[in-house]
Amino acid sequence: LICLFINEALHVLEEGVASAEDIDSAMRIGYSFQHGPFEMADRFGLDAVLAALERMFREYGELKYRPSIVLKKMVRAGQLGVKTGEGFFRYDEDGDRI
């Protein structure tokens, strides 16, 4: 469910509805999440989120599991989140958001 939540947030970002920061803030404020979908993805590792979505898409063939183009581009660019220090947001060596 979390991967679908992240993927849906990515589609909202792609459509230009709101920025990653705004989407995360809306989920933290509106739904009392500790982290928004983009910070969650950064903490899980964008490569891990991509792998999970690709596997579900292959397994079930449903479009809702098809990974976002933004996610694919970021993984190809080596922006994997906390483990590389950069994903949707930037992180220091301790994994704290800058």
Side-chain angles (χ1 to χ4, degrees):
L1 289 173
I2 294 296
C3 287
L4 288 174
F5 171 60
I6 291 167
N7 206 36
E8 192 59 37
L10 281 158
H11 291 304
V12 172
L13 180 70
E14 284 176 1
E15 292 168 3
V17 174
S19 69
E21 180 65 46
D22 290 341
I23 294 166
D24 271 16
S25 292
M27 296 309 296
R28 282 192 314 272
I29 295 166
Y31 292 95
S32 299
F33 282 24
Q34 184 175 357
H35 304 291
F38 296 108
E39 190 167 351
M40 277 190 231
D42 280 351
R43 294 189 180 285
F44 295 151
L46 300 185
D47 54 336
V49 174
L50 177 61
L53 286 166
E54 286 177 334
R55 183 173 180 157
M56 287 187 284
F57 185 57
R58 275 193 314 271
E59 186 76 24
Y60 302 112
E62 293 189 37
L63 291 177
K64 66 182 176 182
Y65 299 116
R66 187 174 61 194
S68 157
I69 295 297
V70 170
L71 180 62
K72 288 181 178 183
K73 286 180 179 180
M74 290 179 75
V75 170
R76 283 188 204 123
Q79 298 171 327
L80 306 180
V82 173
K83 62 180 145 186
T84 60
E86 186 173 356
F88 290 100
F89 306 107
R90 299 189 72 212
Y91 301 88
D92 65 18
E93 303 83 38
D94 297 322
D96 295 322
R97 207 165 134 187
I98 299 173

